[in-house]
């Protein structure tokens, strides 16, 4: 769309044209069911196995350790509920700022007799490895800590957490939905046992993701049926989407380093100019250990949802935080967890950059934010 500046890439990204090209044949040319043994089925199955290898290279695991799912939410649920159902321990450790897919899965397990420890975070949004170490008990079956937060962009000390879990003999799951495809993820290096990612967060299609599960991990399926995906995720696989996810993974491997550098430069320029040009603003999240594309800022006296609507009138697409909870009208729980007062937490917006974001987009966005912020404050007489 002309005159639209899209800065909500943490919610969803555009599909890379190379990904679209890879997907198209599996809609109308190679449309067989991959479980069938005839030639059309074999061609579809070959696409699955090629994509499995491509995604495995992205996170440095074995192809057979990749389980294709419908996306990050299903992967998180399969990891948490699947391990909980298969293990003897009844204790799970997570953090206060996880995605709802993790938090709601944990809430459901409480009804089944599980004990959940929700670790606090510091003012930058990071979990303390020492707090984690102290929280582990003989009954701990799983630790689930996200790699990067979807609202404030803070990166967690995943390698340190993984080392602690491996030493203590506890399984470690990380929701890497926001990080995968943007920064290096290595399940062997970081001692990760289970990992979730979603294609539409790094220029792949919606409706497809993976759960990496290390081969030794006991896991019970959520979906029963024909036994696809080694019996861990029944149902005919989304072959076009999976083929697209594979190509998106290959592109990410080739381009993520240069793209991360480019986005970090744009991100820092955006942050510095907003904080310098608009009084009563503060950055949310870690100033340095954050995703290359994430900017989350609070504006005193400007309600976040109203701000996003006014910016939309200027053609600027931003959000107030997680797309999965944007209609809840509640103060962002992530910002409350890092110590922001409720009023200021409600006055935040998230801008997330992507492949299509340019320096000119940043210039226009800063000008629009300055103009709209001044207009709102003048109208409401609160500044």
């Amino acid at each position: 769309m002309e005159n639209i500046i899209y800065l909500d890439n943490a919610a969803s990204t555009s599909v890379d044209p190379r990904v679209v090209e890879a997907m198209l044949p599996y809609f109308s040319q190679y449309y067989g069911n991959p479980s069938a043994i005839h030639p059309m089925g074999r061609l579809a199955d070959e696409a699955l196995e090629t994509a499995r290898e491509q995604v495995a290279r992205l996170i440095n695991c074995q192809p057979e350790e990749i389980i294709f799912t419908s996306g990050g939410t299903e992967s998180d649920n399969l990891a948490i509920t699947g391990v909980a159902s298969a293990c003897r321990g009844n204790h799970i450790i997570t953090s206060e700022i996880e995605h709802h897919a993790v938090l709601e899965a944990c809430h459901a397990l409480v009804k089944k007799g599980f004990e959940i420890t929700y670790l606090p975070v510091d003012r930058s949004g990071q979990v303390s490895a020492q707090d984690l170490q102290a929280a582990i008990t003989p009954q701990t079956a799983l630790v689930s800590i996200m790699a990067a937060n979807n609202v404030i962009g803070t990166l967690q000390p995943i390698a340190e957490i993984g080392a602690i879990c491996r030493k203590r003999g506890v399984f470690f799951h990380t929701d890497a939905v926001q990080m995968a495809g943007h920064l290096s993820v290595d399940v062997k290096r970081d001692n990760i046992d289970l990992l979730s990612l979603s294609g539409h967060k790094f220029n792949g299609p919606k409706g497809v993701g993976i759960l990496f599960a290390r081969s030794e991990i006991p896991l019970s399926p959520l979906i029963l049926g024909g036994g696809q995906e080694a019996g861990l995720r029944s149902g005919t696989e989304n072959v076009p989407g999976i083929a697209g996810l594979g190509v998106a993974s290959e592109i990410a491997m080739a381009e993520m380093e240069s793209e991360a550098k480019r986005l970090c430069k744009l991100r820092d320029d955006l942050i510095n100019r907003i904080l310098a040009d608009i009084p009563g603003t503060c950055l949310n999240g870690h100033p340095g250990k954050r995703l290359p594309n994430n900017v989350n800022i609070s504006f005193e006296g400007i309600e976040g949802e109203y701000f996003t609507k006014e910016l939309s009138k200027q053609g600027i697409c931003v959000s107030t935080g997680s797309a999965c909870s944007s209609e809840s009208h509640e103060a962002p729980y992530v910002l409350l967890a890092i110590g922001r007062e409720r009023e200021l937490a409600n006055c935040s917006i998230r801008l997330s950059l992507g492949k299509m974001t340019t320096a000119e987009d940043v210039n226009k966005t800063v000008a629009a934010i300055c103009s709209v912020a001044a207009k709102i404050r003048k109208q409401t007489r609160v500044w």
Side-chain angles (χ1 to χ4, degrees):
M1 298 174 65
E2 294 183 5
N3 303 319
I4 293 290
I5 297 176
Y6 182 77
L7 296 177
D8 197 19
N9 288 276
S12 194
T13 59
S14 63
V15 182
D16 190 294
R18 293 165 289 182
V19 172
V20 174
E21 184 179 0
M23 294 173 64
L24 288 177
Y26 298 98
F27 286 109
S28 58
Q29 188 175 358
Y30 308 123
Y31 50 83
N33 189 314
S35 295
I37 61 174
H38 53 62
M40 288 289 277
R42 293 302 90 206
L43 288 169
D45 184 62
E46 287 173 10
L48 296 188
E49 298 316 309
T50 296
R52 214 181 296 277
E53 293 171 0
Q54 291 167 321
V55 179
R57 285 194 290 270
L58 178 66
I59 62 174
N60 191 26
C61 71
Q62 297 302 311
E64 58 269 23
E65 295 174 315
I66 297 292
I67 305 163
F68 290 118
T69 69
S70 63
T73 293
E74 183 186 343
S75 296
D76 285 344
N77 274 261
L78 177 56
I80 294 168
T81 306
V83 167
S85 299
C87 293
R88 293 182 179 179
N90 68 342
H91 178 228
I92 292 174
I93 300 172
T94 188
S95 82
E96 294 180 348
I97 64 168
E98 297 298 309
H99 189 276
H100 282 298
V102 169
L103 295 177
E104 292 303 319
C106 289
H107 293 164
L109 287 173
V110 170
K111 300 175 183 177
K112 297 181 179 181
F114 277 77
E115 178 186 351
I116 313 295
T117 296
Y118 298 95
L119 297 176
V121 294
D122 63 21
R123 297 190 71 83
S124 69
Q126 283 195 316
V127 166
S128 162
Q130 289 71 32
D131 287 350
L132 170 67
Q133 176 115 304
I136 295 175
T137 75
Q139 291 301 311
T140 304
L142 180 71
V143 169
S144 181
I145 302 292
M146 66 194 338
N149 186 261
N150 52 305
V151 177
I152 58 175
T154 296
L155 307 179
Q156 298 296 345
I158 293 302
E160 190 175 0
I161 291 171
I164 291 171
C165 291
R166 187 61 56 87
K167 184 177 180 180
R168 297 290 296 273
V170 175
F171 297 139
F172 173 41
H173 165 251
T174 187
D175 177 340
V177 165
Q178 291 292 328
M179 179 184 281
H182 299 286
L183 294 173
S184 173
V185 177
D186 189 321
V187 298
K188 294 180 180 177
R189 177 193 66 200
D190 296 337
N191 292 308
I192 296 168
D193 297 306
L194 302 114
L195 177 144
S196 306
L197 68 79
S198 185
H200 76 111
K201 303 296 187 178
F202 60 103
N203 302 100
K206 296 177 180 66
V208 62
I210 67 106
L211 176 66
F212 154 75
R214 192 162 57 84
S215 55
E216 296 89 348
I217 304 300
L219 201 63
S220 296
L222 294 180
I223 301 174
L224 304 175
Q228 291 88 344
E229 296 303 297
L232 293 172
R233 204 282 185 179
S234 291
T236 301
E237 293 94 342
N238 173 9
V239 180
I242 290 170
L245 175 60
V247 173
S249 299
E250 282 205 330
I251 294 171
M253 283 193 69
E255 300 178 359
M256 76 166 69
E257 185 175 354
S258 60
E259 182 65 3
K261 289 180 180 178
R262 186 186 75 87
L263 288 176
C264 281
K265 184 177 180 180
L266 293 177
R267 177 201 68 191
D268 292 344
D269 184 38
L270 185 56
I271 291 171
N272 293 335
R273 289 168 65 182
I274 291 175
L275 297 183
D277 294 351
I278 305 177
T281 54
C282 60
L283 178 69
N284 298 309
H286 200 286
K289 297 176 182 178
R290 68 187 303 125
L291 290 167
N293 67 335
N294 179 284
V295 176
N296 190 301
I297 293 179
S298 292
F299 298 76
E300 291 182 22
I302 305 177
E303 200 273 326
E305 186 172 339
Y306 182 51
F307 202 0
T308 62
K309 290 178 179 178
E310 291 300 302
L311 287 172
S312 293
K313 296 176 183 178
Q314 304 292 319
I316 311 293
C317 300
V318 303
S319 73
T320 56
S322 173
C324 299
S325 58
S326 60
E327 297 298 324
S328 66
H329 304 290
E330 296 177 356
Y333 65 95
V334 173
L335 297 183
L336 297 177
I338 65 172
R340 293 289 184 229
E341 294 181 358
R342 185 171 296 274
E343 183 176 354
L344 192 57
N346 275 320
C347 295
S348 67
I349 63 171
R350 181 187 68 184
L351 307 94
S352 45
L353 293 64
K355 278 189 175 183
M356 307 301 290
T357 308
T358 66
E360 182 62 22
D361 290 336
V362 170
N363 292 336
K364 291 180 178 179
T365 298
V366 171
I369 287 176
C370 289
S371 174
V372 172
K375 176 184 175 182
I376 294 173
R377 283 175 169 170
K378 183 178 181 180
Q379 290 175 340
T380 57
R381 301 176 183 270
V382 296
W383 188 258

